[in-house]
Amino acid sequence: MNVLNFVNAFFSDGAHWHGYDGIPTRLVEHVQYTLMALGLAAAIGLPVGLLTGHTGRGGNAVAFVATAARALPSFGLLVLIAVVVGIGLLPVMIPLVVLAVPPILVTTYEAVRSLDPAPVDAARGMGMTETGILFRVELPVALPLVLSGLRSAAIQVVSTATIAAYVSLGGLGRYIIDGLYQRDYEKVVGGAALVALLALVTLAVFWAAGRFVVSPGVRRR
Amino acid sequence: MDSVTKRYPDGTVAVDRLSLEIPDRSITVLVGPSGCGKTTTLRMINRMVEPSEGTILLDGEDLQRQPVTTLRRSMGYVIQNAGLFQHRTILDNIATVPRMLGRGKQKSRERAAELMERVGLDASLAKRYPYQLSGGQQQRVGVARALAADPPVLLMDEPFSAVDPVVRKGLQDELLRIQDELGKTIVFVTHDIDEAIKLGTMVAVMRTGGRLAQFAPPAELLSDPADAFVEDFLGADRGIRRLSFFSSAGLELTRGPVVRADAGAERLAAADGAPHLLVTDADGRPLGWAEPRGLSAGDLAAGPLLSCGRPFVPGTDSLRAALDCAVLSPTGWAVAVDADGRVIGVVSQQTIGEAIRSAHGAGSPGDERTAEEPADVTKVAP
Ligand SMILES: Nc1ncnc2c1ncn2[C@@H]1O[C@H](COP(=O)(O)OP(=O)(O)O)[C@@H](O)[C@H]1O
Ligand SMILES: [Mg+2]
């Protein structure tokens, strides 16, 4: 049996479509973990990135934090925190947030810092406040890059959120882990296919968001 | 500006004890070589740079007494590459300051549309984005944006340096026209002395190290450079360029050598003795120069004609333009035409030379100096 057959068998089994272990439930759980982690990471990465990028100060600190965070293995972190604080949402959220902050922080910082200085100078010269400059001059032009940072963070979180299953939580990781344990490869492949699908949907969402929120003057189309 | 000095944190003295009185409602140009502190001086006026020493007064009041955003909102600011906001349409770029000042969206846009017209931008560009405009058009948008809230003061930092010479000339003419209409107090920075002389009511020449070398009207700068630095900076042909400030109105024209193409034999005979004849068509427009010998009456245009070159318009064009016409003319005579291009007479290089000497003798245009300054004459006279 090849992979496609596994996938086919998994999705055509009616038992996989309802109940607490059904696809809709696991999908919703997975999306919840992802959104929560992404929201927390954005709440940290965006303001810090915007501020350091705008002032041009703290660039070294940003680079250091990002490199350090990238060096941490998500799974190791999960186990470590689960040992310290016990099983629950926290040991899942921390590794996911640590994973998602660097791409958001670094691209946002770079996006703002590398902007053409002329419009900023013009805005300041016409009496715009610093907050005004950041949100009305810099952010709209930096937006495509900022979104791309959020996008790579989102993709990484979507695939890594499977680790939630290790600490007895739900999400699509359940199929993969349970499947491996039960030697039910149909389940493993089906779960992996769902994660891949969700990653594609994430890409589509960001593409649509880009079309919607980035000015045509910046997209140059 | 009263004895203003700017020392940057790294120790660079960008401006050194500069004192300037910038006149109201006219264009003051700061000119000098790169790095001489022009930008720093300009940016101290809207407090983008704070002076280390000295004070700057605006209408008698210290700049420091106003909140910095209020100050800046009362001054238009135009920079080299326009610095447009690429996420906003042209109309919304121009409407930025009125919007910031809390005027309604609709009102601000109406005002922006008005300004587009004033700076010579087609209304069809309103909905475009900056990347869809040429450099010259972007610069016009920059000027319109600076004028949008009708500030009394306009600060311009090399606004036309990044566009090609033809577009630059158009922008300069436009600025002079706008200034005629609006009467702003403009401080204009450039490294181009020709631009300074063309635009400035007053020109401040700065030298490296941020010191003022001379502050004078352009004609005086050309006639009396304060020192070797200024003289050098003005360039080799300042005598010729100074002629731009004298009108060609007073030139003595003669109609003697001017004949119509269908002139009869007696008219030709009357003009005999002139080395060349200027042949015109029936409307009086110049066709070209002809040798009087061997011309057959009745159809002068049939013979070989020398080009008459570009004519000048007395009163409108300067003495420099008239001299240029004479120098370029194959006969050495300049052709004077009226506003419709009809010949009103011709003038020889010699006559123009005399006019130049007497103009210099009478001193600079617009000031009271007299011919007591022979050095002035010898510097320029051929
Ligand atoms: N922010 C700054 N820090 C240190 N030195 C500066 C700064 N800005 C300008 N300078 C220096 O001050 C001098 C004058 O600069 P500037 O006013 O920009 O000259 P200009 O506009 O005439 O070319 C130059 O030597 C320049 O290197
Ligand atoms: Mg400069």
Side-chain angles (χ1 to χ4, degrees):
Chain A
M1 267 217 270
N2 63 30
V3 171
L4 285 179
N5 286 345
F6 279 135
V7 171
N8 189 26
F10 178 77
F11 286 107
S12 49
D13 185 344
H16 285 145
W17 286 99
H18 41 75
Y20 72 93
D21 195 31
I23 292 171
T25 314
R26 293 300 181 214
L27 205 55
V28 167
E29 287 168 351
H30 202 92
V31 170
Q32 279 172 348
Y33 301 151
T34 303
L35 288 182
M36 196 185 281
L38 202 61
L40 287 172
I44 300 165
L46 286 182
V48 176
L50 288 174
L51 215 64
T52 48
H54 175 73
T55 58
R57 279 195 285 263
N60 288 338
V62 165
F64 175 78
V65 168
T67 317
R70 276 184 182 137
L72 290 176
S74 301
F75 188 63
L77 207 54
L78 172 90
V79 174
L80 184 69
I81 296 166
V83 167
V84 174
V85 304
I87 275 170
L89 202 53
L90 194 65
V92 178
M93 278 305 131
I94 288 180
L96 291 184
V97 170
V98 165
L99 181 74
V101 165
I104 296 174
L105 178 60
V106 173
T107 35
T108 305
Y109 166 76
E110 283 296 336
V112 176
R113 199 192 58 120
S114 60
L115 289 173
D116 178 4
V120 175
D121 189 53
R124 197 168 282 138
M126 66 178 71
M128 211 180 269
T129 59
E130 291 304 308
T131 328
I133 292 172
L134 182 54
F135 288 104
R136 284 197 284 276
V137 177
E138 293 180 310
L139 185 57
V141 181
L143 206 49
L145 264 179
V146 172
L147 281 176
S148 84
L150 283 168
R151 188 186 59 206
S152 27
I155 299 286
Q156 289 183 42
V157 171
V158 163
S159 48
T160 313
T162 47
I163 58 172
Y166 280 106
V167 285
S168 307
L169 290 178
L172 298 170
R174 274 271 59 91
Y175 296 131
I176 299 173
I177 288 169
D178 295 348
L180 283 172
Y181 184 71
Q182 301 157 1
R183 307 203 166 219
D184 180 351
Y185 296 115
E186 205 178 285
K187 225 175 185 175
V188 175
V189 173
L194 280 170
V195 172
L197 194 70
L198 198 54
L200 287 179
V201 171
T202 308
L203 279 183
V205 166
F206 273 94
W207 179 82
R211 301 283 318 194
F212 195 67
V213 299
V214 178
S215 155
V218 177
R219 275 190 277 131
R220 311 219 149 184
R221 236 181 284 134
Chain B
M1 309 188 81
D2 189 10
S3 193
V4 172
T5 295
K6 175 63 193 181
R7 202 173 295 106
Y8 282 109
D10 66 0
T12 313
V13 177
V15 176
D16 190 9
R17 284 161 293 160
L18 181 71
S19 295
L20 266 188
E21 186 149 347
I22 292 168
D24 247 10
R25 304 185 142 262
S26 58
I27 305 182
T28 300
V29 179
L30 305 178
V31 68
S34 179
C36 71
K38 308 179 292 292
T39 297
T40 302
T41 305
L42 190 77
R43 288 162 72 96
M44 285 193 288
I45 300 175
N46 66 2
R47 291 182 56 194
M48 303 272 280
V49 171
E50 297 286 4
S52 316
E53 285 158 34
T55 48
I56 305 177
L57 306 177
L58 177 65
D59 292 334
E61 198 186 335
D62 194 331
L63 288 185
Q64 301 291 333
R65 297 171 63 115
Q66 276 193 62
V68 72
T69 48
T70 314
L71 177 78
R72 288 177 191 166
R73 286 171 193 188
S74 71
M75 297 180 173
Y77 183 52
V78 187
I79 56 177
Q80 185 168 352
N81 291 308
L84 301 184
F85 306 137
Q86 48 166 301
H87 61 290
R88 290 192 184 165
T89 61
I90 300 311
L91 202 65
D92 287 339
N93 259 283
I94 300 174
T96 304
V97 186
R99 295 278 288 140
M100 221 158 54
L101 293 172
R103 314 223 176 115
K105 194 165 193 163
Q106 202 48 43
K107 260 211 161 102
S108 304
R109 286 191 169 162
E110 276 164 25
R111 170 80 181 140
E114 213 177 286
L115 276 153
M116 285 186 70
E117 196 181 326
R118 171 143 283 163
V119 300
L121 284 167
D122 198 274
S124 67
L125 300 176
K127 291 261 176 309
R128 300 257 188 104
Y129 287 93
Y131 78 96
Q132 296 167 309
L133 267 55
S134 71
Q137 287 171 327
Q138 292 197 19
Q139 209 48 259
R140 283 173 200 263
V141 177
V143 174
R145 183 175 63 179
L147 288 170
D150 205 18
V153 177
L154 203 54
L155 307 177
M156 310 180 83
D157 193 352
E158 309 221 9
F160 308 147
S161 297
V163 296
D164 67 68
V166 178
V167 175
R168 187 181 314 147
K169 182 174 180 307
L171 288 167
Q172 291 167 347
D173 293 340
E174 199 84 13
L175 180 68
L176 288 172
R177 192 182 56 70
I178 292 171
Q179 173 63 359
D180 265 355
E181 293 168 12
L182 302 180
K184 301 286 180 192
T185 301
I186 301 180
V187 186
F188 188 106
V189 163
T190 179
H191 60 259
D192 176 356
I193 183 68
D194 290 316
E195 186 168 66
I197 285 170
K198 176 170 178 180
L199 298 178
T201 313
M202 289 294 282
V203 177
V205 183
M206 293 178 66
R207 69 167 97 238
T208 314
R211 278 202 294 275
L212 185 65
Q214 187 168 9
F215 187 46
E220 188 184 321
L221 213 59
L222 289 166
S223 62
D224 294 300
D227 57 23
F229 169 80
V230 178
E231 188 168 357
D232 205 42
F233 192 70
L234 287 167
D237 51 356
R238 69 185 168 85
I240 300 284
R241 281 189 287 160
R242 191 178 165 225
L243 295 179
S244 305
F245 294 94
F246 296 107
S247 168
S248 59
L251 283 175
E252 204 175 301
L253 306 174
T254 165
R255 286 199 59 93
V258 182
V259 293
R260 266 171 50 168
D262 55 1
E266 67 281 14
R267 177 69 186 85
L268 279 185
D272 199 22
H276 292 91
L277 296 179
L278 182 71
V279 181
T280 70
D281 65 12
D283 278 341
R285 287 175 223 283
L287 294 172
W289 291 98
E291 304 266 351
R293 271 180 306 283
L295 274 182
S296 52
D299 191 9
L300 304 180
L305 292 179
L306 294 170
S307 151
C308 57
R310 198 170 61 86
F312 73 98
V313 182
T316 305
D317 284 326
S318 67
L319 212 44
R320 180 179 176 177
L323 178 65
D324 191 59
C325 295
V327 169
L328 291 177
S329 164
T331 60
W333 290 66
V335 178
V337 296
D338 62 17
D340 294 327
R342 276 187 277 267
V343 176
I344 49 182
V346 294
V347 57
S348 69
Q349 278 180 7
Q350 204 170 4
T351 311
I352 296 174
E354 280 158 18
I356 291 171
R357 277 190 291 281
S358 70
H360 281 174
S364 287
D367 75 31
E368 297 302 314
R369 290 174 317 106
T370 56
E372 281 162 30
E373 287 162 287
D376 187 24
V377 176
T378 49
K379 268 184 215 159
V380 179

